[in-house]
Amino acid sequence: MTTTSKPGGGTARRSVCMAEFNGSHHGRPTASEIGGDPMLRIIAVGDSDRARALGRDGRLEVVRARDGFEAIGEAGLTGTEDRVCPTVVLLAPDAVDARDLEQFVQAVHLVDPTTRVVISNANDVLPSRIEGLDTIGSDPTPDALLQLVNAVESDPQEDSADDGAAIPLDHAPSDLEALDDETLRIAGRTDGTLLRALLAGRDLAEVCLHQMRSTLGESVRFIAREDDKAHAPSIAMDESLQPVTHRDTLLGWLIGPSEAQDDLELEADRLALALVVDRQQRQLRDSAFVDHLTGAWNRRYFERSMESLLLDARERRIDLTLLLFDIDDFKIYNDRYGHAAGDEILVETVRLLRAMVRPGDRVCRVGGDEFAVIFYEPSGPRAPGSQPPRSIFEIATRFQRAICEHRFPKLGEDAHANLSISGGLATFPWDGHDLHTLMEHADRLLIQSKREGKNALCLGPGA
């Protein structure tokens, strides 16, 4: 049995994935022609024109990074995902200071041992050989990059040789013993703790400070610079103060025992890197999980969040409700009034919905005009005798009415009482026991809403 509601009335990088450039141009194959999945992921540092050109080839997924630190963050994000295609960091000749190239390669391999680093060099020759760094011509083509990676993967000598081999995280302590101090300052401590903490989403500055306190004493602390203020803080007579800077920008001050001044100078460089990469990693994660048009969470976030919340709900033995809905006849509005009007509808839909859901609920855009809302508030207030799925149904119907009544300026005279939504609600554990079964159940109810004339919400028997 289902319950239907029908109200009255009518109705992705800085890091940038270059998917918009994919297509069949100049004889290049499209993603659909090769089965839909890219064959190689490129993290392009410098030379945005080259990145755009590569992005037009459907075999490549191209991500642009503004500098080497951002590329390390992107490589780290790659390392947290299950990827079929290999990843290459492609450096323009001047993208990373030549003095830092060796350390940069080591840092990339610590973040993700499978990522290869390639530099495009006009002379195809580096001043000296750098382990783990491949060279390619000054105007690299998709075919040349694919051939380079395939040659490396299929060359048995390459597999057995040390040249260019990535450093596995599990063996980082012994493999890093031979690195010089400068490399260690950039790449992190010999056990890779700092960069592994980055992958785990931890506060890198706190990890650094914890390590410093274990060796230099509990008095070690960091004071961040406040806005445009650059006045050094006051310290005790037996303390030393070391500025923490990155590319001539003052980030703050590291304070510790005066007898450890030399160590503080070295640690300040490492802390600066941690602060910068931590900030960029947060930006990358936002880029990876937020829909940039509407500001809602994207499908990647939705799927990961659902898996995590369902596990929590199962352990707590409480319910979780999923609302899946889309905008009725959205394509007609988009075609008739233009993409700007379509974008406005999507943005306003998210804004209205966020104004009505509870603080712990999650609003996600999972398709073109398809949205999912995860209703989950394990510690929220509960009225005596209330039925959470029913109260959620009330939230959903209020939102449904709000869409019907909202005026969308770009739709002109037809703005009032024309838009509507259709959707379905499924509740764990009654309507499904995992992401797949809940989505399947909610989707069936959404289709039923469409068959009942649209502008409807169907609630599953689990409620």
Side-chain angles (χ1 to χ4, degrees), residues 302 320-326 353 357 362 364 366 371-375 392-393 395-397 399 421-427 439 442 446 456-458:
F302 166 72
L320 176 152
T321 299
L322 170 66
L323 165 65
L324 191 65
F325 73 90
D326 65 19
L353 185 52
V357 299
R362 293 158 170 81
C364 310
V366 295
F371 296 87
V373 184
I374 307 171
F375 292 97
I392 289 167
F393 189 60
I395 294 174
T397 53
F399 166 66
I421 64 167
S422 296
L425 292 108
T427 299
M439 282 284 288
L446 190 159
L457 295 176
C458 290

Side-chain angles (χ1 to χ4, degrees), residues 300-317:
R300 178 187 296 177
Y301 174 88
F302 166 72
E303 292 176 349
R304 293 189 181 189
S305 183
M306 277 289 287
E307 295 287 358
S308 174
L309 294 179
L310 283 170
L311 179 63
D312 188 66
R314 191 172 293 110
E315 292 176 348
R316 293 171 179 257
R317 297 180 179 274

Side-chain angles (χ1 to χ4, degrees), residues 301-425:
Y301 174 88
F302 166 72
E303 292 176 349
R304 293 189 181 189
S305 183
M306 277 289 287
E307 295 287 358
S308 174
L309 294 179
L310 283 170
L311 179 63
D312 188 66
R314 191 172 293 110
E315 292 176 348
R316 293 171 179 257
R317 297 180 179 274
I318 55 179
D319 55 81
L320 176 152
T321 299
L322 170 66
L323 165 65
L324 191 65
F325 73 90
D326 65 19
I327 300 168
D328 295 327
D329 303 316
F330 176 76
K331 187 177 186 303
I332 296 176
Y333 289 101
N334 202 45
D335 292 344
R336 180 177 179 183
Y337 298 100
H339 292 294
D343 289 349
E344 179 187 63
I345 291 171
L346 297 174
V347 170
E348 285 296 291
T349 296
V350 170
R351 186 186 66 81
L352 289 170
L353 185 52
R354 279 181 165 167
M356 297 184 181
V357 299
R358 303 165 303 183
D361 300 330
R362 293 158 170 81
V363 177
C364 310
R365 182 186 177 195
V366 295
D369 67 314
E370 189 174 18
F371 296 87
V373 184
I374 307 171
F375 292 97
Y376 188 62
E377 199 175 37
S379 58
R382 293 281 186 257
S386 69
Q387 298 179 11
R390 283 287 176 180
S391 63
I392 289 167
F393 189 60
E394 293 171 4
I395 294 174
T397 53
R398 286 203 305 270
F399 166 66
Q400 185 183 19
R401 287 193 296 270
I403 285 288
C404 292
E405 298 166 0
H406 189 70
R407 296 187 65 84
F408 295 86
K410 292 190 185 303
L411 299 186
E413 295 299 323
D414 295 328
H416 185 62
N418 272 328
L419 285 183
S420 65
I421 64 167
S422 296
L425 292 108

Side-chain angles (χ1 to χ4, degrees), residues 12-18 41 43-44 48 62-67 69-71 73-74 77 279-288 292:
R13 215 183 181 267
R14 138 315 339 114
S15 172
V16 180
C17 179
M18 309 297 289
R41 184 175 192 249
I43 301 172
S48 58
V62 180
V63 176
R64 285 186 288 174
R66 289 174 295 190
D67 53 37
F69 285 107
E70 209 165 81
E74 270 289 353
L77 194 62
R279 181 186 64 218
Q280 293 175 342
Q281 187 73 356
R282 285 196 299 269
Q283 293 171 348
L284 284 169
R285 284 181 175 147
D286 286 344
S287 177
H292 295 289

Side-chain angles (χ1 to χ4, degrees), residues 261-274:
Q261 182 172 351
D262 291 343
D263 291 324
L264 289 174
E265 290 180 5
L266 295 175
E267 295 290 0
D269 290 339
R270 199 168 65 91
L271 180 59
L273 175 66

Side-chain angles (χ1 to χ4, degrees), residues 26-44:
H26 306 294
R28 299 183 180 96
T30 64
S32 61
E33 291 170 342
I34 60 172
D37 293 322
M39 299 171 64
L40 182 64
R41 184 175 192 249
I42 303 291
I43 301 172

